Amino acid sequence: QVQLVESGGGSVQAGGSLRLSCAASGNTNRRNCKGWFRQAPGKGREWVAGIWNGGVGSYYVDSVKGRFTISQDNAKNTVHLQMNSLKPEDTAMYYCAAGPLTTACNYNTWGQGTQVTVSS
């Protein structure tokens, strides 16, 4: 069973940067994907970025393209989300997720979340 533990959240002013990390432990599928979701107060959970098969492919929601970068350290089984040029609208609880990759990413494991707060 895979377990995910996030770290790296915090408070920052608009224009600043944060780096989130998600350490995975346990058995993972050979073909797998990891991603980041976020949920702001009063809103639904939004997919932010995903990375497939250890970095073969990476994908982003339009609102973060050019500002966020997802990467994976395969040796440490850790995925990172580098967030630059942060905006107040990026404020949310950020969750790491993982799952098997078939024709799409089937996220089935979630971390506990880490809070990101961006002030104007």
Side-chain angles (χ1 to χ4, degrees):
Q1 185 176 357
V2 176
Q3 292 185 324
L4 304 173
V5 178
E6 301 104 329
S7 61
S11 297
V12 65
Q13 289 191 326
S17 298
L18 285 172
R19 188 188 194 213
L20 306 184
S21 296
C22 174
S25 60
N27 294 323
T28 58
N29 292 296
R30 186 173 182 178
R31 283 175 51 84
N32 66 84
C33 48
K34 294 183 176 67
W36 290 93
F37 289 72
R38 65 186 179 186
Q39 187 166 16
K43 295 188 177 180
R45 188 169 294 191
E46 174 189 38
W47 172 81
V48 176
I51 190 164
W52 290 9
N53 279 344
V56 171
S58 57
Y59 308 90
Y60 304 90
V61 67
D62 285 348
S63 61
V64 308
K65 285 181 181 177
R67 300 190 296 123
F68 291 11
T69 302
I70 189 169
S71 62
Q72 182 159 339
D73 182 337
N74 292 320
K76 298 181 180 180
N77 207 8
T78 299
V79 63
H80 304 285
L81 185 67
Q82 178 67 42
M83 306 186 294
N84 298 328
S85 301
L86 283 162
K87 303 176 181 179
E89 51 263 44
D90 294 317
T91 295
M93 184 71 80
Y94 282 70
Y95 298 89
C96 177
L101 178 65
T102 57
T103 56
C105 186
N106 299 290
Y107 296 109
N108 60 9
T109 302
W110 298 83
Q112 81 286 354
T114 186
Q115 179 68 38
V116 171
T117 302
V118 184
S119 58
S120 58

